[in-house]
mmCIF file of all heavy atoms in Angstrom:
data_model
loop_
_atom_site.group_PDB
_atom_site.id
_atom_site.type_symbol
_atom_site.label_atom_id
_atom_site.label_comp_id
_atom_site.label_asym_id
_atom_site.label_seq_id
_atom_site.Cartn_x
_atom_site.Cartn_y
_atom_site.Cartn_z
ATOM 1 N N SER K 1 5.250 -4.665 9.844
ATOM 2 C CA SER K 1 3.802 -4.847 9.702
ATOM 3 C C SER K 1 3.369 -4.296 8.346
ATOM 4 O O SER K 1 4.089 -3.497 7.724
ATOM 5 C CB SER K 1 3.066 -4.097 10.810
ATOM 6 O OG SER K 1 3.230 -2.684 10.631
ATOM 7 N N ARG K 2 2.202 -4.693 7.904
ATOM 8 C CA ARG K 2 1.672 -4.150 6.648
ATOM 9 C C ARG K 2 1.495 -2.629 6.760
ATOM 10 O O ARG K 2 1.730 -1.896 5.800
ATOM 11 C CB ARG K 2 0.333 -4.808 6.300
ATOM 12 C CG ARG K 2 0.460 -6.261 5.871
ATOM 13 C CD ARG K 2 -0.901 -6.846 5.542
ATOM 14 N NE ARG K 2 -1.502 -6.161 4.420
ATOM 15 C CZ ARG K 2 -1.334 -6.516 3.146
ATOM 16 N NH1 ARG K 2 -0.577 -7.555 2.836
ATOM 17 N NH2 ARG K 2 -1.927 -5.855 2.185
ATOM 18 N N GLU K 3 1.081 -2.189 7.935
ATOM 19 C CA GLU K 3 0.881 -0.754 8.149
ATOM 20 C C GLU K 3 2.197 0.007 7.958
ATOM 21 O O GLU K 3 2.238 1.064 7.326
ATOM 22 C CB GLU K 3 0.325 -0.519 9.555
ATOM 23 C CG GLU K 3 0.026 0.940 9.863
ATOM 24 C CD GLU K 3 -0.464 1.131 11.284
ATOM 25 O OE1 GLU K 3 -0.067 0.340 12.168
ATOM 26 O OE2 GLU K 3 -1.216 2.076 11.511
ATOM 27 N N ARG K 4 3.282 -0.546 8.493
ATOM 28 C CA ARG K 4 4.588 0.103 8.341
ATOM 29 C C ARG K 4 5.041 0.067 6.876
ATOM 30 O O ARG K 4 5.580 1.057 6.362
ATOM 31 C CB ARG K 4 5.626 -0.598 9.234
ATOM 32 C CG ARG K 4 7.079 -0.132 9.014
ATOM 33 C CD ARG K 4 7.279 1.305 9.449
ATOM 34 N NE ARG K 4 8.611 1.786 9.118
ATOM 35 C CZ ARG K 4 8.954 2.401 7.982
ATOM 36 N NH1 ARG K 4 8.031 2.610 7.055
ATOM 37 N NH2 ARG K 4 10.181 2.809 7.777
ATOM 38 N N LEU K 5 4.833 -1.049 6.189
ATOM 39 C CA LEU K 5 5.225 -1.144 4.783
ATOM 40 C C LEU K 5 4.465 -0.144 3.922
ATOM 41 O O LEU K 5 5.013 0.407 2.958
ATOM 42 C CB LEU K 5 4.985 -2.565 4.256
ATOM 43 C CG LEU K 5 5.973 -3.633 4.737
ATOM 44 C CD1 LEU K 5 5.510 -5.011 4.290
ATOM 45 C CD2 LEU K 5 7.379 -3.339 4.228
ATOM 46 N N ALA K 6 3.202 0.104 4.277
ATOM 47 C CA ALA K 6 2.398 1.066 3.516
ATOM 48 C C ALA K 6 2.960 2.478 3.634
ATOM 49 O O ALA K 6 2.709 3.323 2.777
ATOM 50 C CB ALA K 6 0.949 1.029 3.994
ATOM 51 N N ARG K 7 3.734 2.734 4.698
ATOM 52 C CA ARG K 7 4.342 4.063 4.895
ATOM 53 C C ARG K 7 5.817 4.073 4.492
ATOM 54 O O ARG K 7 6.525 5.035 4.769
ATOM 55 C CB ARG K 7 4.200 4.480 6.364
ATOM 56 C CG ARG K 7 2.761 4.719 6.802
ATOM 57 C CD ARG K 7 2.676 5.216 8.247
ATOM 58 N NE ARG K 7 2.855 4.140 9.213
ATOM 59 C CZ ARG K 7 3.943 3.935 9.935
ATOM 60 N NH1 ARG K 7 4.995 4.725 9.797
ATOM 61 N NH2 ARG K 7 4.015 2.935 10.801
ATOM 62 N N SER K 8 6.270 3.018 3.845
ATOM 63 C CA SER K 8 7.686 2.902 3.492
ATOM 64 C C SER K 8 7.896 3.136 2.000
ATOM 65 O O SER K 8 6.943 3.255 1.226
ATOM 66 C CB SER K 8 8.205 1.500 3.856
ATOM 67 O OG SER K 8 7.777 0.546 2.897
ATOM 68 N N GLY K 9 9.157 3.135 1.610
ATOM 69 C CA GLY K 9 9.494 3.260 0.194
ATOM 70 C C GLY K 9 9.137 2.037 -0.621
ATOM 71 O O GLY K 9 9.279 2.040 -1.844
ATOM 72 N N LEU K 10 8.654 0.978 0.045
ATOM 73 C CA LEU K 10 8.214 -0.212 -0.679
ATOM 74 C C LEU K 10 6.742 -0.133 -1.085
ATOM 75 O O LEU K 10 6.216 -1.080 -1.665
ATOM 76 C CB LEU K 10 8.433 -1.469 0.174
ATOM 77 C CG LEU K 10 9.893 -1.870 0.405
ATOM 78 C CD1 LEU K 10 9.965 -3.099 1.299
ATOM 79 C CD2 LEU K 10 10.602 -2.137 -0.917
ATOM 80 N N ASN K 11 6.093 0.964 -0.755
ATOM 81 C CA ASN K 11 4.710 1.159 -1.198
ATOM 82 C C ASN K 11 4.736 1.964 -2.490
ATOM 83 O O ASN K 11 4.908 3.169 -2.478
ATOM 84 C CB ASN K 11 3.897 1.893 -0.130
ATOM 85 C CG ASN K 11 2.452 2.082 -0.563
ATOM 86 O OD1 ASN K 11 2.035 1.593 -1.613
ATOM 87 N ND2 ASN K 11 1.686 2.796 0.243
ATOM 88 N N SER K 12 4.583 1.274 -3.615
ATOM 89 C CA SER K 12 4.620 1.941 -4.918
ATOM 90 C C SER K 12 3.230 2.161 -5.498
ATOM 91 O O SER K 12 3.087 2.632 -6.615
ATOM 92 C CB SER K 12 5.460 1.118 -5.905
ATOM 93 O OG SER K 12 4.984 -0.216 -5.983
ATOM 94 N N ARG K 13 2.212 1.814 -4.708
ATOM 95 C CA ARG K 13 0.838 1.988 -5.209
ATOM 96 C C ARG K 13 0.496 3.475 -5.238
ATOM 97 O O ARG K 13 0.544 4.158 -4.203
ATOM 98 C CB ARG K 13 -0.138 1.256 -4.298
ATOM 99 C CG ARG K 13 -1.578 1.302 -4.792
ATOM 100 C CD ARG K 13 -2.471 0.498 -3.867
ATOM 101 N NE ARG K 13 -3.823 0.491 -4.376
ATOM 102 C CZ ARG K 13 -4.894 0.750 -3.636
ATOM 103 N NH1 ARG K 13 -4.762 1.045 -2.365
ATOM 104 N NH2 ARG K 13 -6.089 0.711 -4.165
ATOM 105 N N PRO K 14 0.152 4.027 -6.407
ATOM 106 C CA PRO K 14 -0.202 5.454 -6.482
ATOM 107 C C PRO K 14 -1.384 5.773 -5.568
ATOM 108 O O PRO K 14 -2.305 4.967 -5.422
ATOM 109 C CB PRO K 14 -0.574 5.653 -7.953
ATOM 110 C CG PRO K 14 0.093 4.521 -8.681
ATOM 111 C CD PRO K 14 0.092 3.374 -7.731
ATOM 112 N N ALA K 15 -1.356 6.938 -4.960
ATOM 113 C CA ALA K 15 -2.392 7.320 -3.990
ATOM 114 C C ALA K 15 -3.785 7.277 -4.607
ATOM 115 O O ALA K 15 -4.758 6.926 -3.939
ATOM 116 C CB ALA K 15 -2.090 8.707 -3.433
ATOM 117 N N ALA K 16 -3.891 7.631 -5.874
ATOM 118 C CA ALA K 16 -5.204 7.700 -6.517
ATOM 119 C C ALA K 16 -5.579 6.399 -7.248
ATOM 120 O O ALA K 16 -6.607 6.347 -7.928
ATOM 121 C CB ALA K 16 -5.227 8.859 -7.508
ATOM 122 N N ALA K 17 -4.749 5.355 -7.114
ATOM 123 C CA ALA K 17 -5.004 4.124 -7.858
ATOM 124 C C ALA K 17 -6.266 3.433 -7.374
ATOM 125 O O ALA K 17 -6.490 3.294 -6.172
ATOM 126 C CB ALA K 17 -3.815 3.172 -7.733
ATOM 127 N N ALA K 18 -7.076 2.986 -8.326
ATOM 128 C CA ALA K 18 -8.261 2.205 -7.974
ATOM 129 C C ALA K 18 -7.825 0.782 -7.690
ATOM 130 O O ALA K 18 -7.055 0.191 -8.452
ATOM 131 C CB ALA K 18 -9.257 2.230 -9.123
ATOM 132 N N GLY K 19 -8.266 0.227 -6.586
ATOM 133 C CA GLY K 19 -7.872 -1.130 -6.225
ATOM 134 C C GLY K 19 -8.907 -1.775 -5.335
ATOM 135 O O GLY K 19 -9.965 -1.188 -5.069
ATOM 136 N N PRO K 20 -8.619 -2.972 -4.845
ATOM 137 C CA PRO K 20 -9.555 -3.650 -3.947
ATOM 138 C C PRO K 20 -9.732 -2.871 -2.643
ATOM 139 O O PRO K 20 -8.906 -2.023 -2.295
ATOM 140 C CB PRO K 20 -8.869 -4.993 -3.679
ATOM 141 C CG PRO K 20 -7.837 -5.138 -4.750
ATOM 142 C CD PRO K 20 -7.420 -3.767 -5.117
ATOM 143 N N ALA K 21 -10.778 -3.188 -1.929
ATOM 144 C CA ALA K 21 -11.062 -2.516 -0.656
ATOM 145 C C ALA K 21 -10.033 -2.906 0.404
ATOM 146 O O ALA K 21 -9.310 -3.883 0.269
ATOM 147 C CB ALA K 21 -12.467 -2.889 -0.194
ATOM 148 N N GLY K 22 -9.978 -2.120 1.468
ATOM 149 C CA GLY K 22 -9.102 -2.426 2.590
ATOM 150 C C GLY K 22 -7.672 -2.007 2.333
ATOM 151 O O GLY K 22 -7.410 -1.075 1.572
ATOM 152 N N ASP K 23 -6.736 -2.724 2.961
ATOM 153 C CA ASP K 23 -5.325 -2.350 2.843
ATOM 154 C C ASP K 23 -4.605 -3.139 1.757
ATOM 155 O O ASP K 23 -3.378 -3.194 1.733
ATOM 156 C CB ASP K 23 -4.609 -2.522 4.188
ATOM 157 C CG ASP K 23 -4.528 -3.982 4.626
ATOM 158 O OD1 ASP K 23 -5.136 -4.852 3.959
ATOM 159 O OD2 ASP K 23 -3.855 -4.257 5.633
ATOM 160 N N CYS K 24 -5.343 -3.744 0.850
ATOM 161 C CA CYS K 24 -4.755 -4.511 -0.251
ATOM 162 C C CYS K 24 -3.909 -3.592 -1.131
ATOM 163 O O CYS K 24 -4.332 -2.491 -1.480
ATOM 164 C CB CYS K 24 -5.851 -5.175 -1.074
ATOM 165 S SG CYS K 24 -5.216 -6.207 -2.410
ATOM 166 N N GLN K 25 -2.730 -4.051 -1.505
ATOM 167 C CA GLN K 25 -1.780 -3.227 -2.241
ATOM 168 C C GLN K 25 -1.834 -3.431 -3.758
ATOM 169 O O GLN K 25 -0.966 -2.957 -4.478
ATOM 170 C CB GLN K 25 -0.360 -3.515 -1.746
ATOM 171 C CG GLN K 25 -0.092 -2.996 -0.353
ATOM 172 C CD GLN K 25 -0.151 -1.479 -0.286
ATOM 173 O OE1 GLN K 25 0.541 -0.794 -1.028
ATOM 174 N NE2 GLN K 25 -0.983 -0.957 0.586
ATOM 175 N N ALA K 26 -2.820 -4.135 -4.261
ATOM 176 C CA ALA K 26 -2.915 -4.400 -5.699
ATOM 177 C C ALA K 26 -3.245 -3.125 -6.474
ATOM 178 O O ALA K 26 -4.011 -2.287 -6.009
ATOM 179 C CB ALA K 26 -3.978 -5.462 -5.963
ATOM 180 N N TYR K 27 -2.649 -2.995 -7.646
ATOM 181 C CA TYR K 27 -2.964 -1.887 -8.549
ATOM 182 C C TYR K 27 -2.517 -2.267 -9.955
ATOM 183 O O TYR K 27 -1.895 -3.318 -10.159
ATOM 184 C CB TYR K 27 -2.291 -0.589 -8.096
ATOM 185 C CG TYR K 27 -0.776 -0.562 -8.141
ATOM 186 C CD1 TYR K 27 -0.082 -0.025 -9.229
ATOM 187 C CD2 TYR K 27 -0.020 -1.061 -7.073
ATOM 188 C CE1 TYR K 27 1.310 -0.001 -9.259
ATOM 189 C CE2 TYR K 27 1.367 -1.028 -7.101
ATOM 190 C CZ TYR K 27 2.034 -0.502 -8.197
ATOM 191 O OH TYR K 27 3.405 -0.462 -8.230
#
């Protein structure tokens, strides 16, 4: 799931990165 990917090593989006609202992974 997207939720699981967000907690995995495939989430490279920096915690403080400004991006779109919601669970979008863009940065």
Side-chain angles (χ1 to χ4, degrees):
S1 67
R2 289 180 63 90
E3 182 183 30
R4 172 67 186 91
L5 286 173
R7 294 184 282 105
S8 77
L10 291 178
N11 181 5
S12 55
R13 184 177 183 228
D23 66 353
C24 183
Q25 290 295 305
Y27 66 96

